[in-house]
Amino acid sequence: MKATIYDVAREAGVSIAAVSQVINGKGKISEERRAEIMRVMERLNYQPSVIAAALTGKKTYTLGLLVPDISNPFFAEIARAVEDQGHSLGYSLVICSTDNKDERVERYLSLLQQKSVDGMIIGTGMDNKEMLKPLLENSIPIAMIAREMPGHDVQTVITDDFAGGRLAAEHLLGLGHTRLAVLAEQLKVSSSRERIRGFRQRLAEAGIDLPDDRVLASGDALVKDGKRKATELLQRAERPTAIFCCNDLLAIGALQAAKELGLRVPEQLSIVGFDNTILATVTEPPLTTVSQPTEEMGKLAVDLLLSQLKKEEGGSRRTVLQPELVTRRSTAAPSNE
Amino acid sequence: MKATIYDVAREAGVSIAAVSQVINGKGKISEERRAEIMRVMERLNYQPSVIAAALTGKKTYTLGLLVPDISNPFFAEIARAVEDQGHSLGYSLVICSTDNKDERVERYLSLLQQKSVDGMIIGTGMDNKEMLKPLLENSIPIAMIAREMPGHDVQTVITDDFAGGRLAAEHLLGLGHTRLAVLAEQLKVSSSRERIRGFRQRLAEAGIDLPDDRVLASGDALVKDGKRKATELLQRAERPTAIFCCNDLLAIGALQAAKELGLRVPEQLSIVGFDNTILATVTEPPLTTVSQPTEEMGKLAVDLLLSQLKKEEGGSRRTVLQPELVTRRSTAAPSNE
DNA sequence: TTGAAAGCGTTACCAG
DNA sequence: CTGGTAACGCTTTCAA
């Protein structure tokens, strides 16, 4: 049986108020009483109940994190960064993998609310943006991470996806590519849309058009879908010489497709990924990819969330971090077959 | 402001007891009252407080998961499996990355206890096994996953690491290797120890000795340490023709070391990994590795934990799942240089 | 300094 | 069926 504050009080021969004070280091207590109480707490292996404390109006010291899939290395990294920053500030982290499904998002949102988390960090997209409404109304602190939700007044930490797309285009253009294609996640994912937009814009500036039929969206099985879509692209008459993939998982799919079709990377096909996850470093060839500062993003999101929690300052700062192109060996000048 | 059960009761003109009943679907209430109450709950966007409910003795519907590092793909996969099974049963998951540090383990253990989680799944090792004692005494349900804690009476779900080690040895032996080496995690990790033991035993059966100086343990930076240790191994006079790595991350380090030294894999060096994470499929060459059924393990761990929670049945079943060797292209017969 | 007592939002038991 | 009312474990006035 877990010991309660009453047990401690009784054993120490004081009131529960006294015990509460030493727990929270508040109020005035004589040194000897405090020492005695601490001794009893120790002996009873007393652990104050966060639950009960939360009920009294205090916080639960728990944060929620919504991501599409925790087993996706990019989000696992984000999660680790969020966990670390939260932990250092005394918060625990509940993870929620949504698979980008509105129904799951909704379920988790409601669950987290019922559990009175002190705030939620959202790194998943949703079709129905109205879902956040009730949270905002209940004034539950929210921060978006790596994903945007325009029109809602929420803190947001993202890397400049648009710039990232441009970076990729710039690189490919510089190498001399003109027949390009894009592999994206579901188009409801805001970051994918932005990346494509940036990519496209930069191409346009170079006078290159990227027709819609060269932008393929995939489903949830990123690697598998990426491979399938890439295969489709690569078998077209006008085979692209370079593919920009909206994340590393898709890029891996593309890499596999190329291998299966006997196409050499980067000689016959250049591939650019996004996220710079550990995956990008282990493929062969290692992936040229656009890197996001996951650690910084996680830390920032937590800080923003908590600052929102402290002051009533609900302002929606939009913090944009800059991506970087990491050049590895999956890209090269197109061959003149 | 969040609506409470009182608000609902007032609006609906009933007692809070009535509201509580419709929330929990218990007791008897006339259909019309129930309908009216539900309507009000809807209108007020009422979310019952799990916190308050938990205080009255019910459960928190929250589970804790301790792993070394959520950004390690193997544990991310485990986490996803645990999350899914938990979620389908109504439980949320708090993740805790321990970095295999006792101090972090202890902190998290205590934190989870204070938050009254209904149970904890532990997939991290610890030097001081006494740390679990207080939990057991407070009869908090615990299940170990992918890791053992001999001497303690806890539910455990593991894959047969010993057999996994044998599998790796068997494979390498069959290929004709005789000069072997091992890259392990910290030796306090029980699974690593078992894998090595199995590996060694199988070698012994073939009359091959594996001296201790051929078994190198790494620190926490798995890939980096693996690379460093592998480099060390490969520069020895008696260069091994095959390395068995206790997980895929280490194997990747070994792969990188080999590349850097200009050694071809698998021609000049065979590498076997462990875990069969997504990483094993994307390296070049793709890794031959020992696979663990992560999904099944996660599901099982949750089920075991919850069954423990329901019945007072604290029995310590030890569930052992069988690993499988997945042969890819990082292993081959040794060359006769 | 110290302690008594009033909540916090729910559940559950017990009279109506 | 329905409503009153003790808990649950802790925090926080408010007196003493």
Side-chain angles (χ1 to χ4, degrees):
Chain A
M1 222 50 292
K2 278 193 63 166
T4 74
I5 200 172
Y6 286 99
D7 301 323
V8 176
R10 183 166 5 88
E11 291 284 312
V14 299
S15 75
I16 61 167
V19 180
S20 177
Q21 285 188 12
V22 353
I23 294 173
N24 300 290
K26 291 184 176 177
K28 300 284 163 196
I29 297 204
S30 62
E31 221 10 91
E32 43 182 344
R33 255 157 136 41
R34 145 179 255 92
E36 167 62 7
I37 290 175
M38 295 198 61
R39 206 170 314 124
V40 174
M41 294 201 304
E42 188 87 0
R43 179 155 57 77
L44 265 39
N45 190 247
Y46 169 67
Q47 308 265 31
S49 160
V50 174
I51 296 288
L55 194 53
T56 335
K58 293 196 24 172
K59 304 185 295 180
T60 53
Y61 287 98
T62 303
L63 265 23
L65 173 66
L66 272 67
V67 292
D69 181 6
I70 189 65
S71 71
N72 170 326
F74 172 68
F75 289 107
E77 277 178 33
I78 289 274
R80 181 53 141 108
V82 169
E83 183 199 339
D84 280 351
Q85 182 67 5
H87 188 230
S88 79
L89 269 27
Y91 291 80
S92 304
L93 221 218
V94 173
I95 50 159
C96 311
S97 296
T98 67
D99 285 333
N100 281 321
K101 298 229 175 61
D102 273 22
E103 146 211 347
R104 282 181 71 109
V105 173
E106 191 149 24
R107 173 101 193 275
Y108 271 125
L109 249 27
S110 157
L111 226 51
L112 290 175
Q113 235 181 123
Q114 295 179 194
K115 296 201 171 156
S116 312
V117 296
D118 294 333
M120 347 218 285
I121 296 181
I122 302 183
T124 190
M126 51 196 99
D127 292 324
N128 178 5
K129 313 195 168 179
E130 294 309 299
M131 284 194 291
L132 290 187
K133 262 266 202 63
L135 302 191
L136 267 11
E137 280 169 7
N138 285 350
S139 64
I140 295 180
I142 289 183
M144 302 287 306
I145 189 169
R147 214 99 321 172
E148 284 208 82
M149 187 102 308
H152 275 293
D153 201 37
V154 282
Q155 298 272 17
T156 304
V157 179
I158 43 165
T159 75
D160 193 334
D161 290 306
F162 183 78
R166 287 188 58 98
L167 237 35
E170 180 88 31
H171 176 66
L172 259 11
L173 246 21
L175 290 170
H177 290 274
T178 53
R179 246 175 19 247
L180 303 137
V182 172
L183 242 42
E185 300 177 63
Q186 298 174 62
L187 264 6
K188 70 168 152 187
V189 177
S190 67
S191 55
S192 264
R193 286 199 310 270
E194 278 303 287
R195 290 169 197 176
I196 297 171
R197 204 166 62 82
F199 189 76
R200 202 166 227 154
Q201 193 207 52
R202 184 61 188 84
L203 293 192
E205 286 174 18
I208 296 180
D209 180 51
L210 179 66
D212 279 343
D213 69 344
R214 297 238 172 179
V215 177
L216 269 46
S218 82
D220 279 320
L222 266 8
V223 176
K224 224 173 106 206
D225 289 346
K227 180 173 173 184
R228 206 181 50 231
K229 296 293 184 182
T231 302
E232 184 191 325
L233 275 172
L234 296 174
Q235 288 179 325
R236 293 188 186 173
E238 281 272 281
R239 170 154 60 76
T241 60
I243 302 182
F244 169 47
C245 305
C246 286
N247 67 43
D248 288 346
L249 257 10
L250 289 169
I252 284 170
L255 206 51
Q256 294 179 348
K259 277 189 192 158
E260 208 166 280
L261 294 175
L263 253 30
R264 272 169 306 129
V265 177
E267 293 82 356
Q268 296 170 282
L269 176 70
S270 284
I271 296 178
V272 177
F274 210 111
D275 291 346
N276 191 30
T277 57
I278 183 175
L279 295 170
T281 67
V282 305
T283 55
E284 179 61 36
L287 284 175
T288 292
T289 187
V290 179
S291 142
Q292 301 195 52
T294 50
E295 196 162 336
E296 197 181 344
M297 290 168 72
K299 184 171 175 347
L300 222 51
V302 172
D303 289 346
L304 251 35
L305 195 67
L306 296 185
S307 79
Q308 204 179 141
L309 211 161
K310 292 209 174 68
K311 321 156 196 174
E312 200 51 72
E313 173 226 325
S316 73
R317 233 189 312 306
R318 181 162 172 278
T319 309
V320 182
L321 271 25
Q322 286 310 307
E324 265 173 47
L325 183 79
V326 178
T327 308
R328 282 195 271 255
R329 298 193 285 97
S330 67
T331 48
S335 62
N336 313 304
E337 339 194 335
Chain B
M1 219 53 294
K2 279 192 61 165
T4 74
I5 200 172
Y6 285 101
D7 301 323
V8 177
R10 182 167 6 87
E11 291 285 311
V14 299
S15 74
I16 59 166
V19 179
S20 178
Q21 286 187 13
V22 353
I23 293 172
N24 300 289
K26 291 185 177 177
K28 300 283 164 196
I29 298 202
S30 62
E31 222 9 90
E32 43 180 345
R33 257 159 148 10
R34 142 179 259 94
E36 167 62 8
I37 291 175
M38 295 196 60
R39 204 170 316 125
V40 175
M41 295 200 302
E42 188 86 1
R43 179 154 57 79
L44 264 41
N45 190 247
Y46 167 69
Q47 307 266 29
S49 160
V50 174
I51 297 288
L55 193 54
T56 25
K58 293 197 21 175
K59 304 186 296 179
T60 53
Y61 287 97
T62 303
L63 265 23
L65 173 65
L66 272 68
V67 293
D69 181 5
I70 189 67
S71 71
N72 170 326
F74 172 67
F75 289 107
E77 278 178 33
I78 290 275
R80 181 53 141 109
V82 169
E83 183 200 338
D84 280 350
Q85 182 66 6
H87 188 231
S88 77
L89 269 28
Y91 290 81
S92 303
L93 222 216
V94 173
I95 50 159
C96 311
S97 296
T98 67
D99 284 335
N100 280 320
K101 298 230 175 61
D102 273 23
E103 146 212 348
R104 281 181 72 109
V105 173
E106 192 150 21
R107 172 102 192 276
Y108 271 125
L109 248 26
S110 157
L111 225 52
L112 290 176
Q113 236 181 121
Q114 295 179 195
K115 296 201 172 157
S116 312
V117 296
D118 293 332
M120 348 218 284
I121 296 180
I122 303 184
T124 189
M126 50 197 98
D127 293 324
N128 178 5
K129 313 194 169 181
E130 294 308 301
M131 282 194 292
L132 291 188
K133 261 265 202 63
L135 302 192
L136 266 10
E137 279 169 6
N138 285 349
S139 63
I140 295 181
I142 289 184
M144 301 288 305
I145 189 170
R147 215 99 318 175
E148 283 208 82
M149 188 100 309
H152 275 292
D153 201 38
V154 282
Q155 298 273 19
T156 304
V157 179
I158 42 163
T159 75
D160 192 335
D161 290 305
F162 183 79
R166 287 188 58 98
L167 238 33
E170 180 87 31
H171 176 66
L172 257 14
L173 246 22
L175 255 20
H177 291 273
T178 54
R179 253 183 7 254
L180 302 139
V182 173
L183 241 43
E185 299 178 65
Q186 297 175 62
L187 263 7
K188 70 168 154 187
V189 178
S190 67
S191 55
S192 264
R193 286 199 311 270
E194 279 303 288
R195 289 168 198 178
I196 297 172
R197 205 166 63 79
F199 188 76
R200 203 166 224 153
Q201 193 208 52
R202 184 61 188 82
L203 292 192
E205 286 174 19
I208 296 179
D209 180 49
L210 179 67
D212 278 343
D213 70 344
R214 298 239 172 178
V215 178
L216 269 47
S218 82
D220 278 320
L222 266 7
V223 175
K224 223 172 108 207
D225 288 347
K227 179 174 175 184
R228 207 180 52 231
K229 295 293 184 182
T231 303
E232 184 191 325
L233 275 172
L234 296 173
Q235 288 178 324
R236 292 188 186 173
E238 281 271 282
R239 169 155 61 75
T241 60
I243 301 182
F244 169 45
C245 304
C246 285
N247 67 44
D248 288 346
L249 257 10
L250 289 169
I252 284 170
L255 207 50
Q256 293 179 348
K259 277 190 191 157
E260 206 164 282
L261 295 174
L263 255 29
R264 273 170 304 130
V265 177
E267 294 81 358
Q268 296 169 282
L269 176 70
S270 284
I271 296 178
V272 177
F274 210 109
D275 292 346
N276 191 31
T277 56
I278 184 173
L279 295 170
T281 67
V282 305
T283 57
E284 179 61 36
L287 285 176
T288 292
T289 188
V290 180
S291 139
Q292 302 195 52
T294 50
E295 195 163 336
E296 198 181 343
M297 290 169 73
K299 183 170 173 351
L300 222 50
V302 172
D303 289 345
L304 251 35
L305 195 68
L306 296 186
S307 79
Q308 206 179 140
L309 213 163
K310 291 209 174 69
K311 321 157 196 174
E312 199 51 74
E313 172 225 328
S316 72
R317 232 186 318 303
R318 182 163 170 278
T319 308
V320 182
L321 270 24
Q322 286 310 308
E324 265 173 48
L325 182 80
V326 178
T327 308
R328 282 194 269 255
R329 297 193 286 98
S330 67
T331 49
S335 60
N336 314 300
E337 341 193 336

